[in-house]
Amino acid sequence: QVTLWLKKLYGGVPIPEYEVNERTVDILHEIMENNEERDKDVMLLIEDMKDRTSKYEAEADYWHDILGESLSFLEGSMSKEANDDLTDLVQSAIELDVEDTSLTSFYSAINDMTLEMYKTKSKNKEMEQKLRILTKKLTSALMVEKQLEKDIEELKKSQGIQQAKAETQSKNLKFLEDKSKDLKIRICDAEAKLVARGLDQSLTHEALVKSSEELAALRKEIEPLKTELASYLDLPPSIPLAQVKVEEARKEL
């Protein structure tokens, strides 16, 4: 519906490019409905004026025949000035839709038409204001959409960079793991060759690691014994000396 309306609106001129999405189509559809509503009002007004014109022309013909037959008052027998005045009077009566040609009817019709004109102007202004608001909304929506597209594009680039980094790190980790396995195999092969040549088993890498772990465990077990031994080191080397120290302490008390 919106596309057909735009083609009809622009005629043979190409339709300006715009981003087609749900929001822009909704805004254009609302503008289309407002324009169609205004066009319908104008067409109804035109049809009404045509209908009134036909009625007044028929009534003018009717009174022309009456005047011509009853009073022998033909249009050709009047002066040009009188004929022009009569024509203006008839046209004014048709335009103003008056019941008769009295001054009161003319004044009343002019007031009604003036009021209708003001109402039409007010409605047109209201429609123009609504159109401006919808245009601003459409422009704002297009700007937001472009910004979102830009943000999405930047996010995709950022994700691509992060993915590339992750792949590089994964490759590096795989390389290190393979390298570690290779080194372990080489160490085992070297130890096997050294053992075959008479190397003491206690000097192999595995034996040294095991010895280091056992040494660390022994040191941990010795720590409380060292603490207990330190408390005994402060005692006198013999019982008599200990008795002397006890006596001195008793005197001090």
Side-chain angles (χ1 to χ4, degrees), residues 22-237:
E22 185 177 355
R23 181 176 176 79
T24 56
V25 172
D26 287 341
I27 294 173
L28 289 173
H29 189 267
E30 186 175 353
I31 296 174
M32 178 193 72
E33 289 181 342
N34 292 332
N35 284 338
E36 288 180 349
E37 183 180 354
R38 186 170 60 181
D39 291 342
K40 288 179 182 179
D41 292 340
V42 173
M43 291 302 298
L44 290 174
L45 183 61
I46 292 173
E47 291 297 328
D48 182 59
M49 295 301 295
K50 286 182 179 180
D51 184 60
R52 292 181 184 182
T53 301
S54 300
K55 289 181 180 179
Y56 280 117
E57 287 178 351
E59 188 176 355
D61 292 339
Y62 170 74
W63 285 108
H64 184 274
D65 293 340
I66 291 178
L67 291 173
E69 292 175 2
S70 302
L71 304 175
S72 299
F73 186 72
L74 298 176
E75 185 178 355
S77 63
M78 295 187 297
S79 64
K80 184 178 182 305
E81 184 178 359
N83 190 28
D84 291 341
D85 291 340
L86 180 60
T87 301
D88 292 339
L89 185 64
V90 171
Q91 291 296 330
S92 299
I94 293 173
E95 292 292 336
L96 296 174
D97 190 20
V98 294
E99 295 180 358
D100 52 46
T101 56
S102 65
L103 200 58
T104 303
S105 297
F106 275 112
Y107 279 143
S108 178
I110 290 171
N111 289 333
D112 292 341
M113 184 170 286
T114 303
L115 181 60
E116 185 178 353
M117 181 185 67
Y118 282 128
K119 288 182 179 179
T120 304
K121 285 184 177 181
S122 177
K123 187 175 182 180
N124 288 338
K125 287 182 179 179
E126 183 179 350
M127 294 294 292
E128 288 175 359
Q129 180 67 19
K130 186 180 292 187
L131 180 60
R132 282 195 294 269
I133 293 173
L134 291 174
T135 304
K136 288 181 179 179
K137 288 182 178 179
L138 177 60
T139 304
S140 177
L142 292 174
M143 291 177 65
V144 171
E145 184 177 9
K146 288 182 179 179
Q147 184 63 39
L148 287 175
E149 289 178 353
K150 184 178 179 182
D151 293 342
I152 291 172
E153 190 66 26
E154 291 179 355
L155 181 60
K156 286 181 179 179
K157 290 180 180 179
S158 176
Q159 288 178 346
I161 294 172
Q162 293 296 331
Q163 186 175 0
K165 288 182 178 179
E167 290 178 356
T168 303
Q169 291 176 353
S170 178
K171 290 179 180 178
N172 292 337
L173 180 61
K174 183 69 168 56
F175 171 77
L176 292 174
E177 288 177 350
D178 293 341
K179 191 69 175 177
S180 176
K181 290 178 181 178
D182 181 60
L183 289 173
K184 287 180 180 179
I185 293 171
R186 289 185 181 184
I187 290 171
C188 290
D189 292 342
E191 288 179 350
K193 289 179 181 179
L194 291 172
V195 170
R197 292 178 182 179
L199 179 68
D200 189 358
Q201 290 284 346
S202 61
L203 297 177
T204 61
H205 176 73
E206 185 177 356
L208 291 173
V209 171
K210 186 176 180 181
S211 298
S212 177
E213 292 176 351
E214 291 176 352
L215 180 60
L218 290 173
R219 285 179 177 175
K220 189 174 182 181
E221 292 177 1
I222 291 173
E223 282 299 325
L225 296 176
K226 284 183 177 181
T227 304
E228 185 176 355
L229 179 60
S231 64
Y232 286 111
L233 290 176
D234 292 336
L235 296 176

